[in-house]
Amino acid sequence: MAGKKKGIGNRALGMGKTADGNGSTGTLAEEARPDSRFPIPDSRRPSGQLTRAQKLDLYYWMRLTRSLEERLVALYRQTKVVGGLFRSLGQEADAVGSAYALERRDILSPLIRNLGSMLVKGATPLEILRQYMAKGDSPTRGRELNIHFGDTDRGFIGQISPLGDMVPVMAGVTMTFKMRRQDRVGLVYVGDGATSTGAFHEGFNFAAVQRLPLVVIVENNGYAYSTPIAKQTAATQFVDKAIGYGVEGLQADGNVVLAVYDVTKAAVDRARAGGGVTLIELMTYRRKGHAEHDNQSYVPPGEIDRWAAENDPIDRYLVVMREELGATDEEIAAIDARVAREVDAATDEAEKSPPPEALDALIGVYAEPPRERPLWFREGTDRAVDVNERAEGWGTWQSARTGSV
């Protein structure tokens, strides 16, 4: 398989920290050297075509993703978030770098840790906050939570919670592209655990056989909820699964946003040209639990701290920005300030939003939702039933009301 790279890094030591991995054994500054982190040679690297402004945009999107999630954590602890909170801490480069490689006409399907991809495709912080807080003016009118919503006009489809199920869905979406002769591409994210599901196999195999314009990204973050990789698959690396389906397989350091952009752009261009499916394995790490309630007791001591210190995607990109783009502290501070303003403004607006209306539950379910008064059937009575089957001698509620024994 052309372009395949082995040994991106050793999970025990941290991404890109092994002498034989796809990284150097030196400091972050040394790792920023152009030839040390990318599976695509310098001369053919798609990110080389990005302007300086576009490369600064990548930092903006990653910083926005992290800051927005940090605000959601604060709201969660104030009990203002309804349901679970799912973080992408340490994985921001995966979502941002891959979504940035798509064109406006392309469609992606995110998972719970791909908030950054939705922001890149046009979702707003205000929508995300309202959604997590189950507000009446959220995209789903308070009926669904976190990032379970979609907008095909902006190019993202709402996720289905069961693992792997979006692979056959996106196979169907990209089948329509092929049948209509549209030069559009679909992208779907899965975690390492999803590759062991039947839905993943069936959808991926169908897409491969039909040579559909689909890019499948496997985010190898070390754990399927609390299950480490070695306990859910015997495969050494997930990119090896590509050959079993007869498709192209690529692997990249998921904590280097430009490397993610490069492999995704190459796969997207290949799919658009009729080359079919590509499986991309992004090597990364989930520094938070499955959700905010998960205390990660299954993680070996020191592992999280090591990844935070050595392989944070934003920290690593800041080195690139300063050393290769010549970004100044003032430029970086200006981006950070912009993000803070946008998150603060969105939070203030979301807190003002009303709760959902009861009848909104019917909108989008029926073509012409009924507009009857809620609980109309109980008008004129203060109880749901007039009689019961219990004997009077049992001391029923009705007996107490009528005074009978």
Side-chain angles (χ1 to χ4, degrees):
M1 292 177 290
K4 174 179 166 182
K5 293 288 287 186
K6 293 186 177 181
I8 289 294
N10 185 296
R11 198 166 293 282
L13 297 176
M15 181 65 66
K17 285 291 181 179
T18 58
D20 60 346
N22 194 32
S24 70
T25 57
T27 63
L28 284 176
E30 290 171 338
E31 286 177 351
R33 290 177 299 190
D35 60 353
S36 65
R37 301 156 295 153
F38 301 89
I40 299 174
D42 293 9
S43 61
R44 295 187 290 110
R45 197 177 301 157
S47 59
Q49 305 302 313
L50 293 175
T51 65
R52 183 178 186 275
Q54 288 174 316
K55 290 179 178 179
L56 292 178
D57 274 348
L58 291 173
Y59 173 73
Y60 163 78
W61 292 118
M62 287 195 292
R63 178 60 71 188
L64 179 61
T65 301
R66 183 168 296 184
S67 295
L68 182 55
E69 289 185 352
E70 289 170 348
R71 178 57 51 84
L72 284 166
V73 170
L75 294 170
Y76 178 85
R77 291 173 180 173
Q78 297 172 43
T79 68
K80 294 178 179 179
V81 165
V82 179
L85 172 59
F86 304 89
R87 298 288 306 279
S88 65
L89 182 64
Q91 297 184 221
E92 294 93 345
D94 292 5
V96 170
S98 54
Y100 207 78
L102 296 175
E103 296 183 7
R104 183 177 179 84
R105 55 186 163 163
D106 298 329
I107 299 288
L108 65 77
S109 170
L111 285 181
I112 52 176
R113 265 170 265 287
N114 298 123
L115 169 61
S117 69
M118 295 177 64
L119 294 172
V120 171
K121 289 293 280 181
T124 67
L126 179 57
E127 288 177 312
I128 302 300
L129 289 164
R130 284 172 170 167
Q131 188 74 5
Y132 261 105
M133 298 168 77
K135 295 293 187 176
D137 52 2
S138 69
T140 59
R141 297 175 181 267
R143 296 173 297 179
E144 184 56 284
L145 306 175
N146 56 73
I147 57 173
H148 283 261
F149 71 98
D151 186 338
T152 53
D153 289 338
R154 286 181 284 180
F156 56 92
I157 292 178
Q159 61 180 300
I160 300 173
S161 292
L163 296 179
D165 279 14
M166 291 309 297
V167 177
V169 169
M170 289 304 294
V173 169
T174 52
M175 185 69 169
T176 68
F177 298 163
K178 181 179 179 180
M179 294 175 68
R180 294 169 179 168
R181 303 182 185 278
Q182 298 173 332
D183 59 346
R184 302 171 70 189
V185 175
L187 186 152
V188 59
Y189 300 91
V190 295
D192 40 85
T195 63
S196 295
T197 66
F200 172 87
H201 165 72
E202 293 174 7
F204 195 75
N205 186 63
F206 178 82
V209 171
Q210 297 294 328
R211 293 183 64 80
L212 301 179
L214 180 64
V215 178
V216 179
I217 292 183
V218 179
E219 293 182 275
N220 182 350
N221 64 15
Y223 297 92
Y225 202 124
S226 59
T227 305
I229 293 170
K231 291 189 176 182
Q232 64 99 359
T233 182
T236 304
Q237 49 190 7
F238 292 100
V239 69
D240 290 341
K241 292 178 179 283
I243 194 170
Y245 295 92
V247 303
E248 180 81 358
L250 296 171
Q251 187 187 69
D253 187 335
N255 285 26
V256 177
V257 68
L258 293 178
V260 174
Y261 173 84
D262 283 338
V263 291
T264 308
K265 187 66 166 64
V268 167
D269 290 348
R270 181 175 178 274
R272 205 181 308 279
V277 181
T278 298
L279 173 70
I280 298 175
E281 180 182 13
L282 297 179
M283 305 296 290
T284 186
Y285 187 79
R286 193 190 76 198
R287 279 164 41 200
K288 283 292 185 178
H290 174 70
E292 196 64 18
H293 63 266
D294 178 6
N295 66 6
Q296 295 176 283
S297 58
Y298 46 86
V299 177
E303 186 175 272
I304 297 172
D305 292 339
R306 184 164 52 248
W307 277 82
E310 300 174 356
N311 289 291
D312 181 86
I314 294 181
D315 289 346
R316 293 181 73 177
Y317 194 55
L318 281 169
V319 175
V320 174
M321 290 170 62
R322 289 190 171 101
E323 295 189 356
E324 298 182 17
L325 303 180
T328 64
D329 290 343
E330 290 74 18
E331 284 183 293
I332 295 169
I335 296 174
D336 292 345
R338 173 191 171 190
V339 167
R341 288 194 304 271
E342 291 176 356
V343 172
D344 285 345
T347 304
D348 292 343
E349 191 67 24
E351 296 239 49
K352 298 175 185 175
S353 295
E357 296 289 338
L359 290 177
D360 282 353
L362 302 176
I363 296 176
V365 178
Y366 299 100
E368 296 180 2
R371 284 293 174 184
E372 186 54 78
R373 299 180 304 282
L375 302 181
W376 57 269
F377 52 89
R378 296 183 64 174
E379 292 180 355
T381 181
D382 58 357
R383 56 187 181 276
V385 295
D386 294 320
V387 296
N388 61 67
E389 296 180 358
R390 298 187 68 186
E392 291 289 337
W394 290 3
T396 63
W397 173 77
Q398 184 174 344
S399 299
R401 285 178 53 82
T402 59
S404 59
V405 179

